Amino acid sequence: MSIRTARTRTAPAPGGGELAFTHWPGAHGGAPLEAPVLIALHGITANGRAFDAVADALDTALPDASLYAPDLRGRAASAALRGPYGLAAHVADVLALLDHLGQERAVLIGHSMGGFVAALAAARHPSRVAGTVLVDGGLPFPGTGAAGGAGGDGAGEEDAIDAQLEAVIGPAMRRLSMTFPDRDSYAGFFREHPAIRPLWNEDVRAYFDRDLVGTEPELRSSCVLEAVRADGRGVLVEPLLRTALREPGPPAVFLWAERGMLDEPQGLYGAENPPGLGLLHPERVASRRVDGVNHYSIVMAAEGARAVAEATAEVARRAAV
């Protein structure tokens, strides 16, 4: 059960409609002027409730800071927002959320695909991004074609994107074409996931419940497949992402999980140093592996969330200098 109370709110989105976000207030009910504003960006088929454990860990690392986590365009309570989709659209939504909050800058915490959104936002709008914490994402994934792109047109390109996404995220991608007779069946699908099974608690259940839409006996994931494909295409082929962390810019910490998407021994970024780590800007980007966690538990379990919260406090201190 969360220490902080999660509150669902909305903000006007570019192009019309409302961007839903979860707000975990700081210790004083809101963020004092001297406390950093934190915006957390979730993975490609996730939603803002993925950061419940991080919000709790911030009670020690940054107790006065408020955390805001949007359901990104095409997911959960923001599923009704229309395209265009893609990483640039998420960046625009983040800036709109900042404007709605009356804030000039924020520290961005990006998990998985959200890390790529955070890196792109910092590269394109450094005056609005105080710093970034990139959590098992934001650096091109080894072996997925991120450095070389995904070729093809039309249906062929969609098939290539789908295949690469399934190779990376497995069951999380497959569920998008499935229906479920009731909420317990959907929960059961993920309780069997080897990386999620040990994490199961009330907050994790709330995270998955937030994704469900439709009516029984045909419940389904809220994720808009077109949005997922557009984001996958951006992660795999956006050229700016290959150099975004090599140039001067806002301070950043890159964290990668020791274990993988299915809790396998090797994580998304390899067992030791990820390829390309040595090319990151040495004075801007700190990097470290988080041992004993997988791609999900790095944000959804106490030990991973603590590492993320501590990195966020580190970036906030560096941004304030």
Side-chain angles (χ1 to χ4, degrees), residues 39-44 51 72 87 90-91 108-123 129 131-141 235 241 244-245 252-255 269 284 295 299:
I39 295 180
L41 307 169
H42 61 71
I44 196 165
F51 295 99
L72 294 175
L87 303 186
H90 295 315
V91 171
L108 304 184
I109 305 167
H111 175 234
S112 195
M113 185 271 290
F116 294 89
V117 178
L120 189 62
V129 178
T132 58
V133 180
L134 310 176
V135 185
D136 228 28
L139 223 62
F141 296 130
V235 166
L241 292 173
L245 297 174
V253 171
F254 171 65
L255 303 176
Y269 287 99
R284 176 190 173 195
H295 183 74
V299 292

Side-chain angles (χ1 to χ4, degrees), residues 144-182:
T144 61
D153 296 306
E157 182 184 16
E158 288 182 357
D159 290 344
I161 294 293
D162 287 359
Q164 292 201 53
L165 287 173
E166 180 148 342
V168 175
I169 65 177
M173 184 68 182
R174 289 197 295 276
R175 85 183 193 279
L176 303 188
S177 60
M178 299 171 65
T179 59
F180 300 85
D182 52 47

Side-chain angles (χ1 to χ4, degrees), residues 203-216:
D203 291 334
V204 174
R205 175 66 187 257
Y207 159 72
F208 285 112
D209 276 348
R210 189 173 180 84
D211 179 50
L212 275 178
V213 295
T215 56
E216 298 181 0

Side-chain angles (χ1 to χ4, degrees), residues 192-276:
E192 295 305 312
H193 192 296
I196 294 170
R197 183 169 53 239
L199 312 179
W200 199 264
N201 59 28
E202 188 175 327
D203 291 334
V204 174
R205 175 66 187 257
Y207 159 72
F208 285 112
D209 276 348
R210 189 173 180 84
D211 179 50
L212 275 178
V213 295
T215 56
E216 298 181 0
E218 292 191 352
L219 297 172
R220 57 181 175 79
S221 169
S222 64
C223 295
V224 177
L225 185 55
E226 182 184 352
V228 171
R229 284 174 175 150
D231 292 335
R233 188 178 302 110
V235 166
L236 295 169
V237 305
E238 168 58 59
L240 182 57
L241 292 173
R242 289 176 233 144
T243 59
L245 297 174
R246 301 178 188 178
E247 307 297 331
V253 171
F254 171 65
L255 303 176
W256 75 97
E258 178 185 18
R259 303 182 68 83
M261 293 285 302
L262 300 176
D263 201 40
E264 63 270 39
Q266 180 166 307
L268 281 176
Y269 287 99
E272 295 300 331
N273 290 337

Side-chain angles (χ1 to χ4, degrees), residues 302-315:
E303 61 271 27
R306 185 164 49 249
V308 173
E310 290 170 355
T312 304
E314 175 186 336
V315 167

